[in-house]
Amino acid sequence: MTRSIDDAGSDTPHLVLVGLMGAGKTTVGYQCAKRLSRPFVDTDDLVQTAAGMTVAELFALSGEGRFRAMEREAVGDACASPVPAVIACGGGAVLHADNRRQLKRSGFVVWLQAPPEVLAVRVGRGADRAERPLLAGGPVTTLERLAAARASAYEAVADAVVDTGDRSVPEVVDAVLEEYGS
Ligand code: S3P
């Protein structure tokens, strides 16, 4: 672990997962939290609770700008956790410089990567895709575009990169925890 002081003064950084939709942030984050006996926080869940509606409904009703503003508050709230937590960030949370700063300052940030075709298969399953308004136009093309547009933001915030492409969830969890130093 290379980071030191989080917002709440603890010397243990949060474990933060970033990456595109379908990278496995929520699934892997939840398992990491269980292994570390830490609270698990998902910024999309915080937004949904605050908004009283799903992310898809919020996009449809108030637009992406409102969602991003609420996402910034969610990132701030998650980083302010007084105990070290595992934080799964929505795929676009890294776009705002304030979010990148907060996450880097209070967490050890792991970028979960996979090729767009793999991500598209994962998010194409069942209700997952309907819950992700940005994918309405077609997952593979959109994910390829987002991967190119966001690579520099993920790179800027990441302390470590873990490839999830052909690994099982337990293997990814092991790799993330090893990077984190646990
Ligand atoms: C988004 C990713 C989603 C969610 C919203 C926007 C993005 O989260 O925050 O639909 O911009 O990449 P997941 O990455 O958890 O699917």
Side-chain angles (χ1 to χ4, degrees):
M1 267 181 253
T2 56
R3 311 238 147 255
S4 51
I5 305 291
D6 73 20
D7 284 349
S10 162
D11 61 1
T12 305
H14 304 304
L15 171 58
V16 177
L17 300 179
V18 300
L20 286 172
M21 294 172 271
K25 303 176 298 284
T26 301
T27 308
V28 170
Y30 180 75
Q31 294 299 331
C32 287
K34 261 172 72 175
R35 289 261 297 267
L36 294 167
S37 301
R38 298 234 185 118
F40 173 66
V41 184
D42 185 307
T43 61
D44 282 342
D45 286 347
L46 295 183
V47 170
Q48 293 186 135
T49 301
M53 64 183 86
T54 67
V55 168
E57 287 165 347
L58 183 59
F59 264 68
L61 211 73
S62 309
E64 184 173 349
R66 177 76 190 124
F67 169 77
R68 295 294 173 203
M70 293 189 74
E71 186 175 55
R72 279 204 294 286
E73 282 179 31
V75 168
D77 289 347
C79 289
S81 164
V83 290
V86 178
I87 303 171
C89 291
V94 297
L95 293 175
H96 201 287
D98 286 352
N99 290 343
R100 293 198 296 276
R101 262 193 299 274
Q102 289 224 65
L103 293 168
K104 241 183 140 46
R105 195 176 58 224
S106 63
F108 181 86
V109 183
V110 180
W111 176 11
L112 297 184
Q113 273 187 345
E117 317 82 65
V118 174
L119 299 174
V121 172
R122 291 184 191 155
V123 298
R125 293 191 200 115
D128 278 10
R129 189 171 155 194
E131 272 310 314
R132 290 175 165 118
L134 293 181
L135 296 181
V140 181
T141 334
T142 307
L143 285 161
E144 277 170 354
R145 181 176 53 75
L146 292 177
R150 294 178 176 177
S152 60
Y154 289 130
E155 210 174 302
V157 78
D159 294 299
V161 181
V162 168
D163 181 27
T164 74
D166 49 13
R167 282 167 153 164
S168 67
V169 170
E171 285 171 340
V172 175
V173 169
D174 284 345
V176 168
L177 292 179
E178 193 179 329
E179 290 291 351
Y180 185 55
S182 290

